[in-house]
Structures are given as C-alpha cells and as structure tokens.
Amino acid sequence: MGILAEDVERVRAASPIDVVVGESVGLRRQGTRSVGLCPFHTEKTPSFSVNAELQVYHCFGCQASGDVITFVRETQNLGFREAVELLAGRAGISLRYDDARTTGAARKRSRLVEAVEAAAAWYHERLLSSPDAAHARGYLRSRGYDGETVRQYRIGWAPDAWDELVRGLDLGADLAKEAGLGLVNSRNRLQDVFRARVLFPVFDARGDAVGFGGRVVPGIGRPNEPKYKNSPTTAVYDKSSLLYGLNWAKGEIVSSGEAVVCEGYTDVIGMARAGIGRAVGVCGTAMTERHLTALARFGRRLVLAFDADSAGQGAAERLYQWERTHEVELAVAALPPGSDPGDMAASDPEALRAAVEHARPLLGARLERLLDPPPASPEAQARAASAAAALIAEHPNDIVRESYAGQVAARLGVDPRHLLGRSREARRAQPPAPAAAARVRESPALLALALAVQRPEAVAEVLDEILFDEPATRAAFAALAGTATFGEALAVAEAEDPKVADLLRQAAVVEAPDDAEDVVAVLARAAGTRALRWLEDEARRSADPLHFQAEVGWLKRRLEELGEPATRSAAVGQLVPFLRQRAQEAR
Ligand SMILES: [Zn+2]
C-alpha cells in the first residue's frame, strides 16, 4: 500500500527543509541559501547547501542531492514510506494509504518485488525440504553452512527442471519475464531462468527481494555451465548499482564508518560468519562508480577484499579518481594471493579478520605485493624499482608519491631521487587528469541554469535551449522551460534521468551571478564559436567556399558584438534563431 500522493505533498509542505536539515547539520545563512558541513561525507569546509525556498539540498563535495524526504531517508537509512511517515509524525499529519492511487511505477515495482519474494520463499523451501535438493544441502554443509546460515540468508535450490517455478507460482509469461524469473524459449514455452543451482536471493538496501545469484553445485547439471549466473536486469534488479548484503550490513557500516567490498555472495556470508558484518558484494560485475556512491552514503572508508589489480592497469587510476571525487578512502585487505574470503572464513577466520583489519591504502597494498618477496639480485632490484616507479606515478598526489618513493627506495637500497625521477617520467607519459570538479561546478551552463531556477524573470527573454551544448544541462533547461514551477520541472527531470534532476537541485543552491546578460553572452559565444568552426569546416570541404563567406562574416560580427556590453543583448537575440536553424540543418 502506498501513501496518497496528495498526503506526501502535504508532508513535504509542512516540513521546511532548512528546519529539518538544521536539526542535524549546523547551517549558516548565505544569501538565498544556507550552507553547512555535509552529513554524507567528511569535510572541513562546508560544501553542503540548502535552498529553503525551492526545498532542495545539494553537496558540491560528494554530489548528494535531494529534497526533505531524501534527506531523512539517507541520513536515517529509511525507505521512502518510512521517511514520509516520520516527517508526518513530526508535522502532526495523519496519512491516508491507498493502493489504487499509487503511481504506475510504484505499483509495478511492488508487483515485481512480490514475485521475486514469492520465488525466494519457493526456492528456499525447496532447498530445506525437497529430496531433489539433498545433493545441494550436502554441498552447502561441506562449505560449512549450517541450517541457521541457510535460513538467515534464505538460500534456495532451483531444481534441475524446466518450469517448476513458473508453474508452481503460476506466474504469467509477462510477470515472469519482467521479474527476471522466467524466459520464453525457442519453442515458445515459458521456462525458469535458473536450473540446478544453489540460489542466493539478492535484496536491495531496504530489504526488498529483487533478484538472485545462482551457483552451480559440483556434480549436478550440465557441464560447461558458468559457475555463477545472475538474474537478468529488470526494473528492480540492476547489478551495476546493487550490492549484495547491504540490507544487513548498513547498520554496521554506519556505526563503523567502513564497508568491506567483496566479489561474491559466499564472500559476504563468510565475512559475516567471521564476525565482519559490514561486508557487501558486487553481483557478478566489476565495482562501478554507482556501487561506490551507494556505499559512500553509509561509510566513507571502503576496504576492498578482492584483487584490485585484476581489472588491469586503468582500474587503479579510476579508483584514485573516485577517492578524490567522492572523498572516500579506499584500502585493500591484505589477503594471501589467490585466496577466497568465503573459504578463509571457514578455514582461518582469524586470518580473515586480520587481513581486513590491516587493510592498506591502495598504493601501499600494490607496492607491498610487488616487493614481497624482496628481489634478490641487483637486476631484479632494478626491475622492481622501475615497476614501483610506474605504480607510484599513477597516484595523483605529489606528497603521497614522494612518501612512497622514499619508502620503496629505502627497502630496495636505491637512491630515492632516482626513483622519483623515474616516476616523474612515467607521469609525463600519462594523459592529463580530467578537469577538477571545482571548475565544473561553476561552468557558465550551470550558472545560466542557476539563473533560470532562481531568477527566471532575469533570463526568460534571452536564454534558449539551443545555447546549452551538453545534453544534461540542455535537458535540465528544457524541463524548466516546459513547466510552471521548479517542483514540476524536477518531477519531469526525475522521470527522464535522475542525473538531470540532480543538476537542477545543484542549480538551485549554486550562487547565481548578478549579471544575467553576461552569463548568457558567454554561453552564446561558446555556441556561436562552435557554429563558426562548423561553417569554416563546411566551407573548406565545399566546392564553392565563397558561398559560405557571407554567413561566416555575419557570424563573426555577432561574436564581436557579444564582447560589447552595448550590443551583446541584441547579438544574443540574433544568434539564437540562427543557431536553431543550423541545428535543424545539421540533423
Ligand atoms: Zn557531501
């Protein structure tokens, strides 16, 4: 059952965001906004901003973004409904519930979750009691899983049969497919997705069953089957952002500030059995930035309990980048090479706990592996020094690089200057790092959006969609232009792409510039220059370059006028229809 949309709106209206946020964050007023230290990441200078008038917050440090309900959800680890109920209680509003009036998306979601939940119960029961699951039960016992563990994680058994689940639950083809439980085979028959596998149900952060990870049992099923198989992507199961075990681990992650990231289901369960209840697992995929942002809401230190080098060279660079942009600390658990946390939990839980406890920063862990065992001959030392210099070179911070270079040089008995020199050479050979987030956040397009959000009257006549080059800012502006209020624009953007909605909230809290005309002129100049380059290109390729001369000349004069305060407004007015025309021709 859902809360009436009307009541959600009443709760929102009765819960001023600056008041609710102010109860846990010290806010200082700054013009139209209030700023404070972000509750979602550790920082010393405030980058968390609230716009009370538009009822949104945004953090420039970690990109956390939302409204009063999101804030309560994410600071208190609640689901949407629980957060609304909490705020309603605060405001003295009694809520009405009505299933029929919940939105289509929410209805669909709950239908899929119900189906996956029913499947989880069915598979679990099958494992516990069915004769055909005896072999699977034996296998789990051999891995050290007792009945309590099996019940706690609701582990199940998918029989070695075609369609027992979809028939047993009487799932229609549409629902079975949408929930990732069934598929229609080449003979047009509905069959189960999972066969002859031990199943680990996967729950989202709030504990709803959304999908499965299935493992083959040695000796059962067809040979050459992949060891693990996961649910196909559905409206509720997306492995690029889901983390197995987050529903159980989030409490301990919040209280310890640390999460342990594993590669698989059995690793997460093994960690918990070894007393580490803050472990989560990626579901059959490499760790993505979305996994990281999902985790960073609960804890800022992430211990990787898998081979961080296995994803190759570029992987480390990406991890360093994430450390900076999301202000998280990444460490690597010192697991023995080739070891499996799931197995270690049974064979040597003490060693597993020690490995997590002694996790080292990413670069330190990689160097350790390189230098252990220590190279014996001078030639091996020279090779190790070169390899270490290359690893050190990847780190973006020069103080960190110098410090590690000193440590490695001392261990290898070489001159630290020599090592640093090598590392500098290696750095020069690398492509430059992407622009810092600080600069992106003040881009002219964002400032123009800020004006469109905060002082729409100042830009209503001059700002046009065509002036935004980047798809996300363009979509954000289009949402604003097509709706009457900021709230409606947010709803439209949210439906299209949550990133666009984030951008709108960011625009609501960024300091809008005083000179609206100037910002629009900067955007127009960028768009005009792009068009000029395009025209000049066309002219070069054309058999009749003179044909373009008049247009190129006209455009150059408008670009000059953009630089003069007296003429810039008129120039924008002339450029916009020209650019629209161009865009149409280019299509
Ligand atoms: Zn933040």
Side-chain angles (χ1 to χ4, degrees), residues 94 130 137 140 170 177 205 229 298 305 307 342 351 362 378 381 418 420 440 456 468 478 515 528 533 550 562 570 576:
S94 54
S130 172
R137 287 193 293 269
L140 287 168
D170 196 18
K177 278 191 291 181
K229 176 176 175 174
F298 300 101
D307 188 352
L362 192 55
Q381 270 178 353
H418 185 74
L420 263 180
V440 174
F468 292 90
D515 190 346
R533 263 189 231 121
L562 282 175
V576 165

Side-chain angles (χ1 to χ4, degrees), residues 223-312:
N224 306 325
E225 285 272 299
K227 191 163 146 193
Y228 281 99
K229 176 176 175 174
N230 298 286
S231 288
T233 300
T234 69
V236 293
Y237 179 91
D238 177 358
K239 66 182 177 185
S240 67
S241 60
L242 262 179
L243 287 153
Y244 177 69
L246 185 56
N247 53 316
W248 300 300
K250 65 185 179 189
E252 190 169 323
I253 296 174
V254 170
S255 61
S256 65
E258 179 183 282
V260 178
V261 186
C262 307
E263 261 181 328
Y265 311 98
T266 53
D267 297 334
V268 172
I269 296 173
M271 289 279 179
R273 289 168 66 213
I276 301 162
R278 55 190 185 283
V280 296
V282 292
C283 307
T285 170
M287 186 163 134
T288 67
E289 194 163 3
R290 289 173 67 200
H291 288 130
L292 184 113
T293 50
L295 273 177
R297 290 187 187 134
F298 300 101
R300 311 301 307 187
R301 182 177 150 91
L302 310 182
V303 173
L304 310 181
F306 56 84
D307 188 352
D309 272 346
S310 62

Side-chain angles (χ1 to χ4, degrees), residues 409-427:
R411 273 175 77 169
L412 291 175
V414 300
D415 186 341
R417 280 169 305 180
H418 185 74
L419 203 70
L420 263 180
R422 281 286 184 92
S423 126
R424 246 175 244 126
E425 272 166 39
R427 263 192 93 65

Side-chain angles (χ1 to χ4, degrees), residues 36-43 47-49 58-65 300 326-327:
L37 292 175
C38 180
F40 302 108
H41 84 278
T42 317
E43 61 176 6
S47 39
F48 183 80
S49 307
H58 179 84
C59 172
F60 293 104
C62 67
Q63 312 297 319
S65 183
R300 311 301 307 187
H326 299 285
E327 294 186 30

